[in-house]
Amino acid sequence: CGMRTTKCQLLVTSLCVMLLGLSIATLSTVTHYGLRFTLISNISLDSNTYRVIHHTAFYSGICLSMTLILAALLSSAATVRESRCLSAMGFFCFALAFCGLIPAACWRYTHSTEVEGSVMDVYDFVYEEVRRNTSSFRRLELTAIHEAFLCCGKHSPFGDTTNVENETCPPGQVHDEGQDCLREIQDFLKKHMDFVFWLLGIAIGFTVYGMILTSFLWFSIHFSSNLYRKGKYILR
């Protein structure tokens, strides 16, 4: 009865882990190919760290999602076939995913301000280039940022910036405190990073639970097979 309950719990957990893996893969893809993220990545200079963060987050998320999906498939197969080998492999994949999720969650907690700062540095650079009228190409980039983030300009300490905003803001967009681009970018990234953190936290919880269930399933299969062998007699 206990083994049957464990198998049911493991199947449900495997399904949840697979959904979490697909969610992480989807989020990584959206983060990498989303309009706002790709726009900032293409504009950022080589000295800016955002481009490195952008690519690293994508590949790390894909690797984590594949590990979670593989762990879910192996644990499901181990449950159906009652295989010690598959349950051990499922436990290993859960442990591997756990070792990847913990650093990812810690990095998000300790470096979230670095991500926000790198993106706002990109906007500051483009804005000041346009304000000094040094590049018409930068004006197109600033217009694209305003249209992507639905914001308009910023409060600059260098004086009146009305001309910059009139040239680069979307039609009908009125510049006020609520539409300051630095604040809009910061709020957007904070919401995105909070969602990432909660998704990683849920994945960590299910990963630990999956490790416990797969180990319990392995011991259950091991002892039940030993008891089955003990019940056999050989006549000589």
Side-chain angles (χ1 to χ4, degrees):
C1 182
M3 184 176 179
R4 186 179 301 173
T5 303
T6 302
K7 290 170 67 175
C8 293
Q9 292 176 347
L10 187 55
L11 286 175
V12 174
T13 303
S14 299
L15 178 61
C16 295
V17 170
M18 184 174 293
L19 292 176
L20 285 171
L22 293 174
S23 300
I24 293 176
T26 303
L27 181 63
S28 301
T29 304
V30 170
T31 302
H32 190 263
Y33 295 103
L35 174 62
R36 297 180 177 182
F37 297 103
T38 53
L39 181 62
I40 297 297
S41 178
N42 293 332
I43 295 174
S44 63
L45 302 176
D46 294 335
S47 58
N48 192 285
T49 59
Y50 177 77
R51 187 172 297 176
V52 177
I53 297 173
H54 183 75
H55 293 290
T56 304
F58 172 71
Y59 293 114
S60 300
I62 294 299
C63 290
L64 284 174
S65 64
M66 291 176 63
T67 306
L68 288 172
I69 293 173
L70 181 60
L73 292 175
L74 288 174
S75 59
S76 299
T79 303
V80 174
R81 296 187 178 183
E82 296 186 2
S83 171
R84 283 184 295 175
C85 180
L86 291 176
S87 61
M89 293 173 63
F91 177 86
F92 175 76
C93 289
F94 276 121
L96 188 63
F98 178 80
C99 293
L101 289 168
I102 290 296
C106 293
W107 188 92
R108 181 261 167 241
Y109 184 76
T110 56
H111 292 77
S112 59
T113 56
E114 179 181 346
V115 178
E116 296 174 3
S118 61
V119 176
M120 289 189 288
D121 287 343
V122 173
Y123 180 80
D124 278 331
F125 171 77
V126 176
Y127 189 91
E128 294 305 322
E129 288 287 311
V130 174
R131 190 185 65 83
R132 290 193 294 265
N133 294 320
T134 57
S135 174
S136 59
F137 183 71
R138 295 297 181 187
R139 187 173 289 104
L140 296 177
E141 292 178 340
L142 185 61
T143 303
I145 294 176
H146 287 164
E147 292 177 352
F149 286 92
L150 299 178
C151 58
C152 183
K154 68 171 187 175
H155 296 288
S156 176
F158 297 101
D160 187 20
T161 58
T162 305
N163 293 331
V164 176
E165 294 156 6
N166 288 337
E167 293 176 358
T168 59
C169 288
Q173 192 86 304
V174 181
H175 174 69
D176 55 19
E177 186 178 358
Q179 292 174 323
D180 183 85
C181 272
L182 294 179
R183 180 175 297 179
E184 291 293 327
I185 292 173
Q186 187 177 21
D187 292 342
F188 169 76
L189 290 176
K190 186 178 184 303
K191 293 177 181 178
H192 186 79
M193 296 296 284
D194 287 343
F195 182 76
V196 171
F197 184 74
W198 281 109
L199 185 61
L200 291 176
I202 295 172
I204 290 172
F206 275 99
T207 301
V208 173
Y209 192 51
M211 291 169 62
I212 296 173
L213 290 177
T214 49
S215 60
F216 188 80
L217 178 65
W218 188 92
F219 283 109
S220 299
I221 296 172
H222 176 73
F223 289 120
S224 64
S225 61
N226 286 344
L227 289 175
Y228 179 73
R229 285 195 295 271
K230 288 179 180 179
K232 286 186 175 182
Y233 297 92
I234 300 176
L235 297 176
R236 295 184 178 178

